[in-house]
């Protein structure tokens, strides 16, 4: 196939979406396909000082200059070219090729849902609402969609007029061969990386500063765990490792309010091997998100044999599967303290599991993650691409990798 991938401009300094687009390019080229990547250049963006004006200059590059360039470039493309949008947020460009074979990858609709008032925890400005509706107006004109979870697919069709005639789910594949390390290997790897690992292990959380990561909930749950542990045992509670950006002032205040026995540490820049060691050495992985598009850390932790405690809501319960430990979703207006106590009780029980019961959960969790295979995902993407080129619709709500 001759494939053109639309991707985010480099000047936006996004991390995940360019990484996804580059992964697609490398995988497709390895299978013998010709791949070209199209994205806006920083023309107007480089003419203004960094700040609010640079954002609007970036819009000129993305939505005025780039479409003009695309219209000219389309005339030079072979008739059998397939146009792939690496993210539905690139929707404003979809009308440029809606009459040609195309596919849109859909990652999450959290920003759109916020703009439509569906997520009260994340209010959106007037300009933000207009921008999200502009994006939606574009991508809903597409004919073929690949979503990363059933939750994302449901949101796609609930909050837009996107076609259901060719809309499938293909789970993301793990981008690193995560697997359990022995206690000795994991401890040695962490110590070699100058991390303060101890033989007893730790609790682990991985996430950014986004509202949906529920970091205040993580700290509150940990605080209640510390109280419960200290009331039950004479030993020190496990520390909490956060693979996260440095704490904000608000986060520092939450940590300062923890019982004195609690210990929260922040780390950044771990490579995949060290992260694998952290997952393997952790006694439990805490991921009580309010929402996600997919939830990579859930399956990374499980693949390394780390039991997961997460939110009983989609897509977390879809991705983490039957062996995770679930706690209620923290909703707007809920009693945070009561929610944290309930979560801490579940964590306490998880940490008290017999070795046999824990081993059973670990074994089932590892088996569950085998379906999140990158090579299988690429095969599923290409199958959908071929159907788009042939003009074939494929109404398949759930396309798990194991059934492809």
């Amino acid at each position: 196939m001759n494939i053109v991938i639309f991707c985010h401009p480099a000047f936006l300094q996004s991390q995940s979406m360019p990484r996804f687009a580059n992964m697609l390019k490398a995988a497709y080229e390895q299978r013998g396909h010709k791949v070209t990547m199209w994205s806006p250049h920083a023309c107007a963006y480089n003419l203004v000082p960094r700040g609010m004006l640079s954002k609007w200059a970036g819009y000129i590059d993305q939505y005025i200059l780039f479409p003009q360039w695309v219209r000219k470039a389309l005339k030079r493309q072979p008739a059998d070219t397939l146009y792939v949008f690496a993210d539905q947020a690139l929707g404003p460009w979809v009308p440029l090729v809606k009459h040609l074979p195309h596919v849109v990858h859909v990652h999450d609709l959290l920003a759109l849902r916020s703009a439509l008032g569906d997520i009260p925890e994340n209010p959106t400005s007037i300009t933000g609402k207009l921008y999200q509706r502009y994006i939606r107006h574009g991508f809903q004109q597409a004919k073929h969609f690949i979503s990363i979870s059933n939750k994302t697919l449901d949101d796609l069709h609930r909050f837009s007029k996107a076609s259901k005639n060719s809309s499938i789910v293909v789970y993301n594949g793990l981008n690193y061969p995560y697997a359990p390390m022995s206690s000795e290997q994991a401890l040695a790897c962490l110590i070699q990386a100058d991390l303060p690992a101890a033989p007893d292990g730790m609790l682990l959380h991985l996430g950014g500063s986004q509202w949906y990561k529920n970091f205040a909930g993580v700290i509150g749950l940990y605080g209640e765990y510390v109280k419960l542990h200290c009331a039950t045992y004479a030993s020190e509670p496990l520390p909490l490792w956060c693979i996260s950006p440095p704490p904000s002032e608000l986060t520092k205040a939450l940590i300062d309010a923890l019982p004195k026995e609690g210990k929260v540490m922040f780390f950044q820049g771990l490579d995949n091997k060290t992260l694998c060691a952290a997952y393997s050495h952790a006694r439990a992985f805490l991921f009580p998100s309010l929402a996600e598009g997919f939830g990579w850390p859930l399956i990374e932790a499980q693949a390394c044999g780390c039991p997961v405690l997460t939110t009983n809501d989609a897509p977390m319960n879809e991705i983490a599967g039957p062996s995770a430990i679930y706690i209620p979703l923290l909703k707007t207006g809920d009693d945070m303290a009561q929610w944290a106590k309930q979560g801490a009780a579940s964590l306490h029980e998880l940490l008290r599991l017999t070795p046999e019961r824990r081993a059973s959960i670990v074994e089932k969790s590892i088996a569950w993650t085998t379906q999140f295979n990158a090579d299988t995902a690429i095969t599923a993407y290409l199958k959908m691409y071929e159907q788009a080129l042939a003009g074939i619709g494929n109404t398949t709500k759930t396309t798990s990798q194991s059934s492809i």
Side-chain angles (χ1 to χ4, degrees):
M1 277 186 283
N2 184 53
I3 302 171
V4 169
I5 300 177
F6 285 87
C7 49
H8 290 277
F11 60 77
L12 290 183
Q13 298 182 338
S14 172
Q15 298 294 322
S16 58
M17 286 301 100
R19 188 161 55 242
F20 177 73
N22 287 323
M23 180 275 292
L24 293 182
K25 183 177 187 294
Y28 298 158
E29 289 179 336
Q30 188 176 27
R31 297 197 183 194
H33 302 288
K34 181 182 177 182
V35 183
T36 307
M37 299 180 76
W38 288 0
S39 65
H41 295 291
C43 298
Y45 183 83
N46 283 339
L47 296 178
V48 300
R50 297 295 170 261
M52 181 60 68
L53 284 178
S54 62
K55 180 180 77 170
W56 291 99
Y59 288 160
I60 292 174
D61 288 329
Q62 294 177 75
Y63 306 126
I64 297 177
L65 300 182
F66 182 59
Q68 293 175 3
W69 179 89
V70 169
R71 292 185 185 97
K72 295 177 182 178
L74 288 174
K75 298 176 182 178
R76 302 189 295 268
Q77 295 303 307
D80 61 347
T81 301
L82 175 76
Y83 300 90
V84 174
F85 293 85
D87 183 16
Q88 84 285 341
L90 306 177
W93 305 333
V94 168
L96 297 169
V97 298
K98 67 178 182 179
H99 60 293
L100 300 169
H102 62 269
V103 175
V104 177
H105 286 270
V106 188
H107 297 275
D108 72 69
L109 279 298
L110 297 179
L112 176 60
R113 289 176 55 200
S114 297
L116 295 175
D118 189 61
I119 304 179
E121 298 90 344
N122 188 44
T124 305
S125 67
I126 294 296
T127 55
K129 291 177 180 179
L130 292 173
Y131 185 50
Q132 286 303 316
R133 292 178 182 182
Y134 176 49
I135 290 173
R136 180 182 63 176
H137 175 74
F139 75 66
Q140 68 183 5
Q141 296 181 53
K143 296 181 177 66
H144 306 278
F145 299 90
I146 300 175
S147 297
I148 61 173
S149 68
N150 285 301
K151 173 60 175 173
T152 294
L153 182 143
D154 290 341
D155 286 347
L156 173 67
H157 298 299
R158 178 184 171 194
F159 296 102
S160 78
K161 299 177 181 178
S163 170
K164 295 184 180 181
N165 293 330
S166 188
S167 186
I168 66 171
V169 172
V170 178
Y171 290 147
N172 288 328
L174 285 166
N175 54 18
Y176 180 81
Y178 288 101
M181 291 183 176
S182 69
S183 298
E184 295 76 14
Q185 289 176 319
L187 185 59
C189 182
L190 294 172
I191 291 175
Q192 186 176 12
D194 292 326
L195 297 173
D200 289 341
M202 70 290 187
L203 302 175
L204 186 65
H205 170 73
L206 190 151
S209 57
Q210 303 95 325
W211 63 269
Y212 56 86
K213 294 299 183 182
N214 189 23
F215 195 72
V218 173
I219 299 300
L221 192 158
Y222 177 69
E224 291 300 326
Y225 151 74
V226 170
K227 294 177 185 177
L228 186 56
H229 179 92
C230 292
T232 308
Y233 305 106
S235 60
E236 291 186 359
L238 295 169
L240 173 63
W241 284 22
C242 298
I243 314 301
S244 311
S248 64
E249 292 303 315
L250 175 60
T251 299
K252 289 178 181 178
L254 294 173
I255 294 173
D256 289 343
L258 289 173
K260 60 182 178 60
E261 296 86 357
K263 190 174 184 180
V264 181
M265 293 173 279
F266 290 80
F267 306 100
Q268 300 86 37
L270 274 64
D271 60 26
N272 285 324
K273 181 181 178 182
T274 307
L275 182 57
C276 184
Y279 283 133
S280 299
H281 194 57
R283 297 283 303 283
F285 180 65
L286 310 185
F287 201 73
S289 293
L290 305 179
E292 291 285 337
F294 183 74
W296 287 99
L298 293 169
I299 54 174
E300 292 174 353
Q302 288 181 318
C304 295
C306 181
V308 162
L309 185 146
T310 188
T311 310
N312 191 17
D313 195 55
M316 285 73 70
N317 50 13
E318 175 187 353
I319 302 305
S323 297
I325 307 301
Y326 292 103
I327 60 175
L329 173 69
L330 178 62
K331 300 177 182 177
T332 301
D334 284 352
D335 185 331
M336 167 74 85
Q338 187 59 39
W339 174 88
K341 288 179 181 179
Q342 186 175 351
S346 296
L347 174 61
H348 187 66
E349 291 302 313
L350 170 59
L351 296 174
R352 294 177 60 186
L353 290 175
T354 64
E356 294 78 15
R357 176 59 180 151
R358 182 183 176 91
S360 175
I361 288 177
V362 167
E363 180 181 4
K364 292 177 181 177
S365 296
I366 294 173
W368 170 260
T369 64
T370 59
Q371 68 182 299
F372 300 97
N373 179 276
D375 190 61
T376 307
I378 293 300
T379 298
Y381 295 158
L382 290 172
K383 181 179 178 181
M384 181 63 152
Y385 292 1
E386 291 168 356
Q387 292 174 342
L389 270 173
I392 300 173
N394 180 18
T395 306
T396 308
K397 181 177 179 181
T398 305
T399 306
S400 68
Q401 292 188 28
S402 56
S403 65
I404 293 170

